[in-house]
Amino acid sequence: MTNEVENIVVLDFGSQYSQLIARRIRECNVYSKILPFNAPAEKIKAENPSGIILSGGPASVYAENSPKCDKDIFNLGIPVLGICYGLQLMIHTLGGKVASSNAREYGKAIVRAKNHDRLFEGLGEEIQVWMSHGDKVLQLPEGFVPVAETDNTEYAAINLPGKNFYGIQFHPEVVHTPRGKEFISNFCHKICGCSGNWTMRNFIETALEDIKNTVGDKNVILGLSGGVDSSVAAALISKAIGEQLTCIFVNNGVLRKNEAERVQQLYRDNFKLNFVYVDATDRFLDKLADVNDPERKRKIIGNEFVEVFDHAASEIDNVAFLAQGTTYPDVIESVPIDGNPAAMIKSHHNVGGLPEKMKLKLLEPLSRLFKDEVREVGKELGLPHDVVMRQPFPGPGLAVRHIGALTRETIAILQEADSIVVEEMKKADLYYKTWQAFAVFLPVRSVGVMGDERTYDYAIALRAVESSDGMTADWVKLPYELLERISSRIINEVRGVNRVVYDITSKPPGTIEWE
């Protein structure tokens, strides 16, 4: 981003919610950038931030190997907000005392504001918040004052007057703090002085300039899947460099039913792109045969994907970049970023399945956007509604919705079942109102009765979730009539299935995809 764009730097101490903090800042029309917890103060200063937020984290600040920030960030003259662990780190670093608490505070709490602090402006005297901590501030550093309390702690929020240092023990970034966005907004606008000049149009202008400068006179190939992310990436890169971009659509054998035909028709008829179709079905399915482990599936698909692109690149002159529609959740969940101590959840084929010696450089213009932001970019670029609003589809395709080793027969079963789910969700006018709805193949056979005959066939699980960014999700209470219709159609129309179940697990503790 350019220095003209106001931004808030988030230092990540391993919290699973760091990306949500960044997201809430962006909702205030302020750009946010996540840096590792140990980023040097000079590097942070170079970002020209209007403020700094210290994220939460799983560690205890008094532990020997707990993540610490550069102490000099408190000498930059920039407002700082510490959230949970971030508050405790600020206290610990500046001379206060933090210790383990006998009364761990987890879940809903009521914060009582006092001193009419700017952070609480417009929020009233009592605010419902969400707590998650086992440590407690025992003593404030010199000059700090408490500005809010709960029944469990008198230091639910603190401030160092004159320095614009703030700390809150609760999490304003999660939905369980109903007015959390107002806390973030107060920090960004009232304390940091941001006017809120960052929009998706602003992002597009900057991204186009960055793509041009990065690519230069080289050519780019992009893996076009037909999903939202790769489509928006294609439109954005094409707008920046035109015919220097070649989009390659690879049929890996684990796509949705009729997906190859749909994508070819869509992009050849509606987009002015260099388009190449590669049918690698047999190549992928042969490599995936007898593979049960989901991580191995992802790695195999990632490696094969790149090899196909390396071959395609050899037939196109001057290719130096492989473009992907990688988004922020892909990056955050896949690998620790720049020393982030957060644990890996799972790899994605975008970022976790690429071989170390890949011949092409990666170009990922959407890698700092959340899904809803990607959709906004797509709308700004004029992409069709059914492309922009299409439900997310995993890079490894149906391979991660097929539990256990797959065969051509069982993938076909899953494709048919999935097609019915999508069709019925659209008929019920719920497809575009739901984050994701899909079928999962279970390699479990059970006894059934169809007609007057005994069957011993597979089970299909249905999954439907609501989310705004893919980082957290709740299962959808689909109408019983719709579930009944989907179940009936799958059992009657998909040979090899005699049982349908519904997954009612939220994220966390589960993930959206089964593998």
Side-chain angles (χ1 to χ4, degrees):
M1 303 305 294
T2 60
N3 287 340
E4 289 73 20
V5 177
E6 300 164 333
N7 76 94
I8 304 290
V9 165
V10 179
L11 293 187
D12 185 1
F13 291 89
S15 171
Q16 60 180 312
Y17 301 123
S18 294
Q19 63 278 7
L20 292 183
I21 299 173
R23 176 181 163 72
R24 298 294 176 250
I25 296 169
R26 296 180 190 198
E27 289 173 354
C28 299
N29 294 118
V30 179
Y31 180 68
S32 57
K33 183 170 185 176
I34 296 180
L35 294 178
F37 66 91
N38 55 359
E42 284 304 310
K43 180 177 180 180
I44 296 170
K45 184 179 180 180
E47 297 290 339
N48 193 28
S50 299
I52 299 169
I53 293 182
L54 312 179
S55 82
S60 293
V61 295
Y62 48 81
E64 182 179 352
N65 295 319
S66 61
K68 304 292 197 302
C69 63
D70 185 340
K71 295 180 181 179
D72 285 341
I73 68 170
F74 298 107
N75 298 321
L76 294 177
I78 300 171
V80 180
L81 171 65
I83 296 176
C84 196
Y85 179 89
L87 169 145
Q88 295 166 9
L89 180 63
M90 183 187 297
I91 297 300
H92 181 79
T93 303
L94 297 179
K97 187 174 182 181
V98 178
S100 179
S101 173
N102 292 327
R104 186 173 186 268
E105 203 168 13
Y106 182 88
K108 185 170 69 174
I110 299 298
V111 164
R112 294 182 293 277
K114 52 187 179 181
N115 297 337
H116 303 287
D117 188 86
R118 284 180 296 170
L119 193 62
F120 287 79
E121 191 171 317
L123 288 161
E125 297 298 319
E126 294 191 349
I127 309 102
Q128 178 184 318
V129 300
W130 192 72
M131 296 277 195
S132 178
H133 66 99
D135 292 336
K136 187 175 183 178
V137 175
L138 299 183
Q139 180 182 330
L140 294 178
E142 183 178 352
F144 276 84
V145 296
V147 294
E149 63 184 9
T150 68
D151 290 338
N152 188 50
T153 177
E154 60 182 307
Y155 303 128
I158 60 170
N159 168 228
L160 178 58
K163 282 279 193 176
N164 282 331
F165 293 167
Y166 289 83
I168 51 179
Q169 188 61 75
F170 53 89
H171 289 270
E173 70 273 23
V174 300
V175 295
H176 309 295
T177 299
R179 302 183 69 182
K181 182 180 175 181
E182 294 175 63
F183 284 102
I184 302 293
S185 177
N186 282 346
F187 179 70
C188 292
H189 298 132
K190 300 183 185 301
I191 295 170
C192 298
C194 296
S195 61
N197 65 356
W198 189 71
T199 63
M200 286 302 102
R201 184 168 297 178
N202 179 290
F203 166 80
I204 291 172
E205 292 173 357
T206 304
L208 293 176
E209 182 180 345
D210 288 345
I211 292 168
K212 291 176 184 176
N213 292 336
T214 300
V215 173
D217 62 354
K218 303 297 183 181
N219 287 329
V220 180
I221 55 174
L222 180 145
L224 196 57
S225 70
V228 179
D229 302 334
S230 66
S231 297
V232 174
L236 184 64
I237 296 170
S238 177
K239 187 177 179 67
I241 61 173
E243 293 186 357
Q244 288 173 255
L245 172 68
T246 297
C247 291
I248 301 175
F249 176 70
V250 177
N251 186 347
N252 59 13
V254 287
L255 302 175
R256 281 176 160 163
K257 182 181 179 181
N258 299 326
E259 183 77 348
E261 293 77 13
R262 187 196 73 83
V263 171
Q264 291 182 76
Q265 182 178 10
L266 173 67
Y267 288 95
R268 283 177 172 158
D269 293 350
N270 296 283
F271 294 87
K272 294 180 179 180
L273 299 170
N274 294 321
F275 184 89
V276 176
Y277 172 66
V278 179
D279 187 355
T281 298
D282 290 337
R283 175 174 178 165
F284 278 85
L285 293 184
D286 288 346
K287 286 290 182 73
L288 290 169
D290 302 320
V291 178
N292 287 281
D293 180 72
E295 286 299 297
R296 279 195 63 207
K297 288 182 188 177
R298 291 175 182 274
K299 298 293 184 183
I300 288 170
I301 291 173
N303 284 322
E304 291 302 303
F305 172 82
V306 172
E307 286 189 17
V308 168
F309 270 75
D310 271 348
H311 177 72
S314 68
E315 300 181 356
I316 302 172
D317 293 334
N318 203 29
V319 174
F321 294 90
L322 167 62
Q324 295 191 138
T326 307
T327 62
Y328 217 172
D330 293 334
V331 176
I332 293 291
E333 283 194 354
S334 296
V335 291
I337 299 177
D338 297 327
N340 183 336
M344 184 182 83
I345 297 175
K346 62 185 177 184
S347 68
H348 290 247
H349 99 284
N350 302 60
V351 293
L354 299 176
E356 293 180 3
K357 296 182 179 179
M358 189 181 70
K359 298 175 184 177
L360 304 177
K361 298 176 184 177
L362 283 180
L363 182 65
E364 299 174 308
L366 309 178
S367 64
R368 288 299 180 261
L369 295 185
F370 295 98
K371 178 68 75 172
D372 60 321
E373 293 175 323
V374 173
R375 295 189 198 279
E376 287 184 50
V377 170
K379 292 175 184 177
E380 287 281 347
L381 293 172
L383 291 175
H385 178 269
D386 62 336
V387 173
V388 173
M389 298 310 296
R390 198 176 193 212
Q391 291 184 358
F393 189 65
L398 295 179
V400 294
R401 294 179 179 175
H402 183 297
I403 309 304
L406 55 87
T407 66
R408 285 165 172 75
E409 175 192 4
T410 55
I411 275 293
I413 288 174
L414 179 54
Q415 287 173 327
E416 293 295 333
D418 179 78
S419 176
I420 291 171
V421 173
V422 173
E423 184 180 329
E424 290 298 333
M425 288 291 291
K426 288 183 176 179
K427 284 182 181 178
D429 194 28
L430 289 174
Y431 179 82
Y432 294 114
K433 299 175 183 177
T434 305
W435 179 261
Q436 277 177 280
F438 55 87
V440 179
F441 177 87
L442 304 181
V444 177
R445 293 194 176 201
S446 64
V447 174
V449 178
M450 300 179 72
D452 291 322
E453 296 182 359
R454 175 186 180 277
T455 61
Y456 191 58
D457 287 329
Y458 294 109
I460 291 289
L462 306 180
R463 181 78 159 136
V465 296
E466 294 174 335
S467 181
S468 60
D469 50 32
M471 301 310 303
T472 60
D474 293 320
W475 65 278
V476 180
K477 285 72 175 174
L478 292 178
Y480 288 153
E481 294 81 5
L482 175 59
L483 290 172
E484 182 180 34
R485 190 159 57 249
I486 292 173
S487 175
S488 177
R489 282 196 60 191
I490 290 175
I491 291 172
N492 281 292
E493 298 176 28
V494 183
R495 186 176 296 275
V497 177
N498 68 356
R499 191 175 298 274
V500 175
V501 298
Y502 191 44
D503 181 355
I504 58 171
T505 311
S506 293
K507 176 186 180 180
T511 54
I512 294 177
E513 300 292 344
W514 274 46
E515 288 193 338

